[in-house]
């Protein structure tokens, strides 16, 4: 009888854990993996809000639907591919603000070529909202490194 109760408890815990929504870090990691794999078609509605902001220096793009988001992502991916881009590895996460509804998180990426050489390092800051469908990216702000493969220096 004890074994049955223990087994039932373990099954319930496993079921509840599988229903738990992904964390901010898991959501961003999943997005980076899909982007690296060039699995952009059909992925925008899973990762982004309907009208996210892509902030590239003084240029702000605000696509109005999933098709436009995928068009922006495809252009970014194609531009990287011309430089030999193959995939990215997340080296570091740093959350500047996070509560149950919103997160501002920066990641440090190491990007590789198809020859497995280091292409470059890139910082990207994401603002995410926790929607009824889970975490969604509201904005994406790529930026250059501050110094020595770091997104931010430790200035006081």
């Amino acid at each position: 009888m004890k074994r049955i109760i223990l087994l039932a408890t373990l099954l319930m815990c496993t079921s509840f854990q599988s229903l738990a929504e992904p964390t901010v870090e898991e959501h961003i990691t999943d997005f980076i993996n899909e982007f690296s794999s060039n699995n952009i078609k059909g992925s925008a509605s899973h990762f982004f809000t309907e009208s996210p902001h892509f902030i590239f220096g003084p240029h702000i793009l605000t696509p109005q639907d999933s098709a436009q988001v995928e068009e922006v992502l495809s252009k970014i991916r194609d531009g990287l591919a011309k430089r030999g881009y193959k995939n990215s590895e997340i080296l570091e996460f740093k959350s500047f603000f996070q509560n149950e509804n919103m997160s501002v998180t920066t990641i440090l990426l190491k990007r590789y070529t198809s020859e497995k050489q280091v292409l470059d390092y890139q910082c990207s800051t994401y603002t995410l909202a926790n929607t009824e469908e889970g975490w969604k990216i509201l904005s994406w702000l790529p930026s250059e490194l501050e110094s020595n493969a770091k997104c931010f220096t430790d200035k006081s």
Side-chain angles (χ1 to χ4, degrees), residues 90-144:
I90 299 173
L91 299 178
E92 182 180 6
F93 284 95
K94 183 173 183 178
S95 289
F96 292 91
F97 172 82
Q98 186 166 337
N99 64 22
E100 65 272 357
N101 298 315
M102 183 168 273
S103 174
V104 178
T105 301
T106 296
I107 63 170
L108 172 61
L109 290 174
K110 187 176 190 180
R111 299 192 297 199
Y112 295 94
T113 67
S114 53
E115 290 83 34
K116 299 181 182 175
Q117 300 296 315
V118 176
L119 177 65
D120 62 15
Y121 292 85
Q122 179 71 47
C123 300
S124 285
T125 300
Y126 298 92
T127 303
L128 296 95
N130 196 0
T131 70
E132 290 179 2
E133 299 159 352
W135 290 104
K136 301 281 183 165
I137 299 169
L138 289 167
S139 67
W140 177 13
L141 169 65
S143 59
E144 298 298 319

Side-chain angles (χ1 to χ4, degrees), residues 17 19 33 37 39 59-60 62 65 73-74 76 81 97 105 121:
Q17 187 174 6
L19 294 175
N33 289 339
S37 300
N39 292 331
H59 306 287
I60 300 173
T62 307
D65 58 32
L73 292 173
S74 291
I76 294 167
F97 172 82
T105 301
Y121 292 85

Side-chain angles (χ1 to χ4, degrees), residues 2-103:
K2 287 181 182 179
R3 287 184 184 174
I4 293 172
I5 292 172
L6 178 61
L7 180 60
T9 303
L10 286 172
L11 287 173
M12 284 182 10
C13 290
T14 303
S15 297
F16 288 137
Q17 187 174 6
S18 66
L19 294 175
E21 70 178 43
T23 65
V24 167
E25 290 82 6
E26 290 168 337
H27 187 77
I28 293 171
T29 299
D30 290 347
F31 165 64
I32 296 299
N33 289 339
E34 291 297 306
F35 183 85
S36 291
S37 300
N38 206 16
N39 292 331
I40 294 169
K41 188 80 170 149
S43 69
S45 63
H46 177 73
F47 292 109
F48 290 86
T49 59
E50 190 170 322
S51 298
H53 297 294
F54 293 86
I55 306 166
F56 304 106
H59 306 287
I60 300 173
L61 304 173
T62 307
Q64 297 303 304
D65 58 32
S66 292
Q68 289 180 358
V69 170
E70 290 171 7
E71 184 179 328
V72 170
L73 292 173
S74 291
K75 286 180 181 179
I76 294 167
R77 183 67 170 74
D78 291 346
L80 286 168
K82 288 178 184 175
R83 294 180 48 214
Y85 175 79
K86 172 71 174 161
N87 67 311
S88 297
E89 173 187 5
I90 299 173
L91 299 178
E92 182 180 6
F93 284 95
K94 183 173 183 178
S95 289
F96 292 91
F97 172 82
Q98 186 166 337
N99 64 22
E100 65 272 357
N101 298 315
M102 183 168 273
S103 174

